[in-house]
Amino acid sequence: MYDFVSGPLAWLSFIIFFVGIIYRIIWYVRGLDWQMDRVAYRPHRKYGIKGAARSIFYWLLPFGTRSWRYYPSFTIMVFVFHFGLLFSPLFLPAHNIMLEQAVGFGLPTISESAADVLTILVILAAVFIIMRRIALPEVRILTKPYDFLVLAIAVAPFITGFLAYHQVGNYRVMLTAHILCGEIMLVAIPFTKLSHFVLFFMSRAQLGMDYGIKRGGMKNAKGMTW
Amino acid sequence: MPEGILCNKKTVDEKSQLDALLADKSGKQYYEEMNHLEVDSDALWAAIQKTCKSRIRTWLEICAHCGMCADSCFYYLANHKDPKQVPSYKIQSTLGELIRRKGKVDNAFMQMCMDTAYSKCSCCTRCGLYCPFGIDMGIMFGYLRGLLFSQGFVPWEMKIGTGMHRIFRAQMDITTEDWVETCEWMAEEYEEDWPGLTIPIDVQDADIIYTVNAREPKHYPEDLAEAAILFHVAGENWTVPSEGWEETSLAMFAGDWAACKMQVESVYAAMDRLKPKRMVVTECGHAYRATVIEGPYWAGLPSGQTPIESIHYVEWVAEALRTGKLKIDPAKKIKEPVTYQDSCNYIRNGGLADVAREIMGYIAEDFREMTPCREHNFCCGGGGGLNGIGRYRPERNIGLKVKRDQILATGAKLVVAPCHNCWDAIRDLEEVYKVGIRWSFLKPLLLNMIIVPDHLKPTEE
Ligand code: HEM
Ligand code: HEM
Ligand code: SF4
Ligand code: SF4
Ligand code: SF4
């Protein structure tokens, strides 16, 4: 079981993940239509690139936009959550050892204890996000079981990874469960709203081009204040 | 009965249809017929498949349901933070649901969509600035209005408006003769005070072609005279076209894209015919948005720009003040506290925030910003056609509260509102809430403040 999950299934999930997100990017770009979206993307590429870059940059910056500043505590949680979500699996020693075995090279790694801290932060942030979803009426009305499912898919690898690393329960079973959860998450990214992993950049770029080219970008040299 | 006599999927292209609609007082029969209007699900789904591309589909799909857009919407704030007013909820429960059901929806659903798209959204696009993914509910409601229009679910006044554009190429029943006569009448009326004042019609190769909002010739012809006087004093070489003078677009509010195209093409044709250097649009927000910002796309111009350079009236004013074509008498500057209504259509969606500040710097001694302001300003409450729809009057009036409180917080009693819809909304706001404020376009204020060169004054003085 472990061999299958950490071998062929891992390969399969990575392939689905990469092909999936590349497909989504191509699908997005090909679906842009200058006349339907009412943005002349091509003739004003320079304004478009500038608008897109500003739109992505300010939104990747913690407190970089009015909206991030408007909801400070949620913003901190979202950034902590996403920082852990992205960096702990990428630079985890255990992951990179496996990566080296599989493809012959690995990424630089963080220490085991740093990984632990990040993992705990991700889990705590997720708890906060869940509580906020339940507590605030304006978020509750938007929330469906699907939102909890997606959140669970994203956090499960962290919980199981943490438990496996700390050898809680049967290590072999826990590790297998962890890898399975990780694979489920990878596969879920192209097919659920987790696709915002890449579509965030696409969508932000589009609105940035919209404002950069059509909605004032050519008249206001400073560009949109996000 | 699938189609009504007045309420149906047909467009209004004949005068007789228009008259029948107008005869139906406040749309009583029209809305009664709407209750029996059949939804053509196949056509609806076909239209969605053809026009709903990756941008909107992605917006609907990746919405994190995080609620960060909630407080951005003035309707949400004005309605005591009713969760049903959260922008994401409003669009997911209408357009989102329509797509999930592949267009298989009933009459009640379509009416709910219409009520939401008009009475709960002014298409101000503010929410798009507050969503981390850049999901713009204002754009999507505009799109939804188009789908609703194609199925005949459109407020009575908007249906009439589209008919006006289709028949008269104006939002009101003003013929070319009416328009030309109004111009001549206004020039005569003011010539005594302003020797040499003319409203030049159809002059070739002018520096400026001036275009307006149909309400001006119909209800406020003095506005036209004021524009003429200011151009006259500034020494501009200008003209108005006898045809293609109307900038507004109720068709845009109604989602009648074919009529939008007809309307803007009439203006672009005037540009081609008269070959002016550039166009100045009157003090109207949605008119500028329609003809200058969106229009080129409806007309299929790949550059996304009007055939000649087009500027909003505030840009012309700022330029005239900057270059000294218009000079302000320092003694006559506005002394009292004054604030400025940033119109969504040319400020947020047109990038002219700095231009407005530049003007206020010339004309006001105590200029007070609203909070928030510039691109982040709230809609006045009357956008998206809301001012003109009887059915949604109560909802519109509730929405006005946000602007009321914003204005009161500045301490100013005078609001400069160079946008017809904003101007109307603020007038109605005063009528409903009686807070003791005044409001004005730029033209009358400027006329009271400019230094008139001696050679332009009447001789007998
Ligand atoms: C193919 C997929 C994956 C494999 C083969 C894999 C493998 C492993 C292994 C072997 C460990 C170490 C356990 C130990 O030290 O005993 C681990 C830990 C961990 N993994 Fe994964 N993993 C995968 C996917 C993921 C994904 C997608 C995430 C998160 C998004 C993730 C997050 C973690 C975390 C947070 C830890 C524990 C860190 C700590 O507390 O120190 N893993 N994983
Ligand atoms: C880079 C830009 C990104 C931004 C601005 C962003 C933004 C957001 C926001 C605003 C939320 C809402 C939180 C809530 O649910 O209440 C969210 C949720 C989430 N994001 Fe991201 N995200 C980004 C990238 C990613 C990436 C790269 C991943 C992961 C692989 C990711 C995974 C998640 C998950 C799992 C959730 C929570 C589940 C949910 O409620 O949808 N995000 N993100
Ligand atoms: S802010 Fe954006 S992602 Fe969040 S609920 Fe609103 S539309 Fe959805
Ligand atoms: S476009 Fe404006 S009115 Fe419409 S939902 Fe967004 S913020 Fe509210
Ligand atoms: S009426 Fe004025 S404030 Fe309201 S949407 Fe239109 S331009 Fe914006």
Side-chain angles (χ1 to χ4, degrees):
Chain A
M1 181 67 178
Y2 172 80
D3 289 337
F4 175 68
V5 169
S6 66
L9 208 56
W11 281 107
L12 185 68
S13 57
F14 273 105
I15 290 170
I16 294 175
F17 167 71
F18 281 114
V19 172
I21 58 171
I22 290 168
Y23 174 80
R24 299 237 34 174
I25 293 171
I26 294 172
W27 174 84
Y28 187 87
V29 175
R30 292 190 51 163
L32 292 179
D33 180 319
W34 73 272
Q35 205 167 356
M36 213 75 77
D37 304 343
R38 304 208 290 261
V39 183
Y41 299 109
R42 273 174 218 278
H44 307 291
R45 194 170 277 139
K46 236 179 64 207
Y47 286 101
I49 291 171
K50 187 178 158 218
R54 293 182 81 262
S55 163
I56 293 172
F57 175 79
Y58 285 104
W59 281 92
L60 283 181
L61 219 59
F63 302 104
T65 65
R66 291 225 184 189
S67 195
W68 287 139
R69 289 191 291 273
Y70 191 89
Y71 297 100
S73 52
F74 181 56
T75 298
I76 293 170
M77 287 302 157
V78 168
F79 276 90
V80 166
F81 180 71
H82 283 88
F83 186 79
L85 214 52
L86 226 63
F87 286 91
S88 51
L90 271 182
F91 303 116
L92 199 71
H95 285 178
N96 282 293
I97 293 167
M98 295 187 75
L99 190 64
E100 252 191 276
Q101 284 166 356
V103 296
F105 65 89
L107 299 170
T109 53
I110 50 175
S111 72
E112 301 280 357
S113 50
D116 262 8
V117 171
L118 278 181
T119 303
I120 291 168
L121 283 176
V122 168
I123 295 167
L124 287 180
V127 170
F128 172 91
I129 288 172
I130 291 172
M131 289 189 336
R132 177 178 174 277
R133 269 198 187 288
I134 298 166
L136 300 184
E138 73 268 31
V139 192
R140 202 186 314 135
I141 194 169
L142 301 174
T143 301
K144 292 186 220 82
Y146 171 68
D147 297 297
F148 292 113
L149 175 71
V150 170
L151 200 57
I153 289 175
V155 180
F158 289 82
I159 297 173
T160 50
F162 187 78
L163 294 179
Y165 175 71
H166 292 280
Q167 316 252 341
V168 182
N170 183 321
Y171 177 70
R172 196 88 181 154
V173 172
M174 196 56 82
L175 189 62
T176 311
H178 166 71
I179 299 173
L180 210 55
C181 286
E183 289 162 355
I184 288 172
M185 173 178 174
L186 288 174
V187 172
I189 288 177
F191 299 104
T192 63
K193 68 177 190 174
L194 288 179
S195 55
H196 78 257
F197 170 59
V198 285
L199 293 177
F200 162 85
F201 296 94
M202 298 285 118
S203 184
R204 278 246 66 89
Q206 194 282 329
L207 197 70
M209 289 192 276
D210 194 333
Y211 275 104
I213 293 170
K214 181 179 81 164
R215 300 202 238 167
M218 294 188 180
K219 299 222 168 172
N220 173 13
K222 284 184 289 187
M224 190 66 193
T225 37
W226 291 106
Chain B
M1 184 182 76
E3 299 258 322
I5 300 162
L6 300 176
C7 184
N8 48 48
K9 299 181 182 62
K10 287 195 282 284
T11 54
V12 179
D13 297 286
E14 303 292 335
K15 187 82 174 36
S16 57
Q17 292 169 281
L18 191 58
D19 290 339
L21 277 164
L22 286 165
D24 175 28
K25 275 276 157 280
S26 34
K28 252 185 97 176
Q29 185 190 339
Y30 178 87
Y31 287 123
E32 171 47 36
E33 287 178 7
M34 189 180 283
N35 293 332
H36 310 286
L37 187 59
E38 214 168 51
V39 183
D40 184 347
S41 294
D42 293 337
L44 188 55
W45 182 235
I48 290 172
Q49 282 179 303
K50 202 162 141 246
T51 56
C52 189
K53 301 286 197 67
S54 61
R55 175 174 72 157
I56 290 184
R57 283 187 191 259
T58 300
W59 278 344
L60 290 169
E61 187 189 337
I62 66 173
C63 171
H65 305 143
C66 67
M68 286 180 79
C69 50
D71 279 16
S72 73
C73 180
F74 73 100
Y75 273 120
Y76 173 76
L77 299 175
N79 288 282
H80 308 286
K81 304 203 168 199
D82 177 359
K84 290 211 155 70
Q85 292 279 2
V86 174
S88 169
Y89 177 79
K90 288 187 278 196
I91 200 70
Q92 290 288 349
S93 58
T94 53
L95 181 61
E97 193 59 23
L98 187 59
I99 293 176
R100 276 188 285 278
R101 292 201 215 159
K102 298 197 184 336
K104 293 200 173 34
V105 294
D106 58 13
N107 181 296
F109 182 88
M110 291 297 270
Q111 288 204 42
M112 182 277 282
C113 285
M114 181 183 89
D115 292 343
T116 308
Y118 287 90
S119 75
K120 295 182 175 181
C121 180
S122 69
C123 300
C124 75
T125 71
R126 189 171 191 267
C127 43
L129 262 50
Y130 288 79
C131 168
F133 299 155
I135 299 175
D136 193 328
M137 268 62 63
I139 299 284
M140 284 196 277
F141 272 115
Y143 173 73
L144 176 62
R145 287 179 179 197
L147 294 176
L148 292 168
F149 178 83
S150 70
Q151 294 286 320
F153 292 87
V154 56
W156 175 69
E157 293 89 342
M158 292 292 117
K159 184 87 173 192
I160 292 172
T162 62
M164 292 287 181
H165 283 291
R166 285 169 174 271
I167 297 163
F168 294 99
R169 294 295 183 274
Q171 61 159 286
M172 293 169 179
D173 49 352
I174 302 174
T175 61
T176 303
E177 296 77 59
D178 296 339
W179 160 247
V180 170
E181 271 170 28
T182 308
C183 291
E184 289 167 352
W185 168 45
M186 277 298 120
E188 273 168 36
E189 191 80 9
Y190 285 81
E191 218 205 334
E192 211 166 302
D193 295 332
W194 299 94
L197 181 74
T198 56
I199 298 185
I201 298 168
D202 280 344
V203 174
Q204 288 279 326
D205 305 314
D207 290 339
I208 289 173
I209 184 173
Y210 179 63
T211 48
V212 304
N213 177 327
R215 286 158 35 113
E216 292 167 3
K218 186 93 171 176
H219 299 306
Y220 311 99
E222 311 78 42
D223 191 284
L224 194 55
E226 288 161 357
I229 295 166
L230 288 166
F231 282 141
H232 179 62
V233 173
E236 295 285 17
N237 165 17
W238 69 293
T239 188
V240 294
S242 58
E243 281 176 16
W245 49 269
E246 162 72 307
E247 288 285 314
T248 69
S249 187
L250 296 183
M252 171 171 76
F253 294 151
D256 180 357
W257 310 124
C260 288
K261 180 168 151 61
M262 295 176 196
Q263 180 61 50
V264 299
E265 282 180 341
S266 75
V267 178
Y268 302 162
M271 294 176 174
D272 286 343
R273 188 157 46 85
L274 301 175
K275 309 247 178 311
K277 289 208 182 60
R278 43 181 199 162
M279 175 168 80
V280 174
V281 180
T282 191
E283 294 177 69
C284 186
H286 95 271
Y288 175 80
R289 173 90 175 267
T291 311
V292 179
I293 302 181
E294 313 288 353
Y297 298 95
W298 297 326
L301 306 180
S303 69
Q305 293 185 317
T306 48
I308 58 167
E309 188 195 356
S310 301
I311 61 176
H312 190 270
Y313 200 75
V314 296
E315 291 179 275
W316 179 77
V317 171
E319 182 191 285
L321 291 169
R322 198 184 309 137
T323 55
K325 282 183 180 173
L326 289 179
K327 287 196 187 64
I328 301 292
D329 180 347
K332 293 185 181 160
K333 281 174 90 169
I334 306 170
K335 305 270 180 315
E336 63 173 312
V338 54
T339 187
Y340 188 98
Q341 161 59 14
D342 286 300
S343 147
C344 317
N345 282 322
Y346 68 87
I347 302 280
R348 172 158 43 257
N349 289 296
L352 300 182
D354 283 337
V355 175
R357 269 78 206 155
E358 191 183 351
I359 296 173
M360 294 312 282
Y362 282 103
I363 67 170
E365 288 187 356
D366 185 2
F367 170 52
R368 311 254 177 111
E369 290 280 12
M370 291 189 208
T371 327
C373 61
R374 301 174 64 99
E375 290 90 347
H376 288 263
N377 193 21
F378 285 114
C379 172
C380 58
L386 263 274
N387 280 336
I389 306 175
R391 180 175 165 116
Y392 305 126
R393 201 73 173 173
E395 289 86 349
R396 202 278 316 248
N397 288 349
I398 292 171
L400 295 174
K401 287 193 295 187
V402 172
K403 187 53 61 186
R404 174 197 68 188
D405 295 345
Q406 254 193 308
I407 295 172
L408 289 179
T410 66
K413 294 278 178 240
L414 176 62
V415 187
V416 175
C419 164
H420 273 270
N421 276 325
C422 301
W423 190 95
D424 276 8
I426 295 168
R427 178 198 59 203
D428 292 355
L429 179 169
E430 175 59 28
E431 201 176 291
V432 177
Y433 295 106
K434 309 228 177 341
V435 289
I437 53 168
R438 288 165 290 118
W439 55 95
S440 179
F441 287 115
L442 279 169
K443 293 181 197 109
L445 295 174
L446 288 168
L447 267 186
N448 284 331
M449 276 185 252
I450 49 170
I451 301 173
V452 180
D454 286 336
H455 71 278
L456 293 179
K457 289 179 181 157
T459 40
E460 57 272 87
E461 236 184 1

